[in-house]
Amino acid sequence: MNDHSSKQYDTELETIRSKVLLMGGIVETQFNEAMAVFRTGNMDRAERVIAEDGNVNQLEVQLDDACSHLIVRRQPTANDLRTVMATIKVITDLERIGDEAAKIARVGRDMHARGSLIMNNYDMLRSISTAAGDMLHDALDAFARLDGAQALRLIDQDDVVDLEFNTITRNLITFMMEDPRTISTALDTLWVAKAIERIGDHAKNIAEYVIYVVEGKDIRHTRQYTPQEAP
């Protein structure tokens, strides 16, 4: 790639990355608003979260297309190609986070419409929601700055989210066994908890892609990883 082509490539890639971060901001807001819907049952908020999912889907298609054209036109190699491929994967994870947020909004809307008791259920999910939201925010920040050290720290946080989910599951099972009248609400709450846990998984994926770009190492499905340089 000559200097002129290299500058064009850098400009096009930075434009794509900026739009990916815009997409990330949208899904982060979706998640926060979805949890507000679960807490309050606000119908207008629920509809906005659900409608926003369509915009996120359109962004996914547009950005995938932009990345594909960038590969065809510029034929990047080595780290440049890793960056584009990782960006495509980040786009996919962001779209799936949007899907999970829309699920949470639908469940919250429907629970309130049925008159289900919500407040205790929201309190039960407060901690896992905060942990997953922090993971998503930090993952987007690590992607924006290509900060491998921050990405590595974030990956460990997924264990916290998984532990929270397991605790919630046990508590909800206990409630259902002790009072069958809680089964419907408990199952809905468990569905939301699982959606939150999946958001944590997607945030972890984004962190792993950052490490792939920065260090050229694919650490997916590995339990132990030592960075090339200390943070």
Side-chain angles (χ1 to χ4, degrees):
M1 208 184 288
N2 60 42
D3 289 343
H4 180 66
S5 296
S6 178
K7 289 179 181 178
Q8 286 182 324
Y9 167 82
D10 290 342
T11 299
E12 291 178 31
L13 180 59
E14 190 54 40
T15 298
I16 290 172
R17 280 173 48 80
S18 296
K19 290 181 179 178
V20 172
L21 289 169
L22 172 64
M23 182 181 181
I26 292 172
V27 299
E28 189 175 7
T29 299
Q30 263 189 298
F31 176 48
N32 292 333
E33 286 292 291
M35 291 309 302
V37 171
F38 186 74
R39 178 172 59 86
T40 66
N42 185 291
M43 297 295 178
D44 290 337
R45 271 179 145 171
E47 296 309 318
R48 284 198 297 270
V49 172
I50 294 166
E52 196 71 86
D53 194 43
N55 295 330
V56 171
N57 292 342
Q58 289 181 0
L59 272 173
E60 181 194 24
V61 173
Q62 293 169 7
L63 287 168
D64 276 349
D65 186 62
C67 287
S68 297
H69 280 81
L70 183 62
I71 291 172
V72 171
R73 287 197 308 272
R74 305 301 177 194
Q75 299 182 355
T77 59
N79 186 60
D80 288 337
L81 181 58
R82 286 203 309 270
T83 300
V84 178
M85 298 307 296
T87 300
I88 291 171
K89 292 179 181 294
V90 168
I91 293 163
T92 299
D93 276 290
L94 289 176
E95 188 276 330
R96 289 175 180 169
I97 291 171
D99 287 344
E100 299 296 344
K103 288 179 190 175
I104 294 169
R106 289 189 186 97
V107 172
R109 176 195 64 188
D110 294 345
M111 288 176 75
H112 280 276
R114 292 197 308 268
S116 300
L117 294 176
I118 298 295
M119 186 55 68
N120 289 338
N121 299 309
Y122 175 78
D123 289 343
M124 181 182 294
L125 301 186
R126 188 192 302 272
S127 181
I128 190 174
S129 172
T130 298
D134 288 346
M135 283 186 70
L136 175 57
H137 181 81
D138 290 348
L140 291 169
D141 188 51
F143 177 74
R145 297 187 293 112
L146 291 180
D147 188 334
Q150 181 176 2
L152 191 61
R153 290 192 297 270
L154 183 158
I155 288 169
D156 291 336
Q157 296 175 28
D158 190 52
D159 290 338
V160 175
V161 173
D162 290 344
L163 181 62
E164 290 276 358
F165 175 72
N166 291 336
T167 300
I168 290 166
T169 301
R170 288 194 298 270
N171 289 339
L172 289 171
I173 289 173
T174 299
F175 292 155
M176 288 186 283
M177 291 175 64
E178 292 179 350
D179 186 354
R181 292 174 299 178
T182 66
I183 288 176
S184 177
T185 299
L187 288 175
D188 281 339
T189 304
L190 184 59
W191 180 252
V192 171
K194 184 60 181 176
I196 296 170
E197 189 266 340
R198 289 295 298 141
I199 288 173
D201 287 343
H202 291 304
K204 177 185 175 183
N205 290 346
I206 293 171
E208 290 174 342
Y209 302 142
V210 171
I211 292 171
Y212 176 63
V213 172
V214 173
E215 299 197 12
K217 293 183 180 295
D218 187 346
I219 65 167
R220 292 175 296 173
H221 313 302
T222 60
R223 296 300 300 168
Q224 299 291 332
Y225 173 67
T226 302
Q228 292 176 352
E229 298 180 359

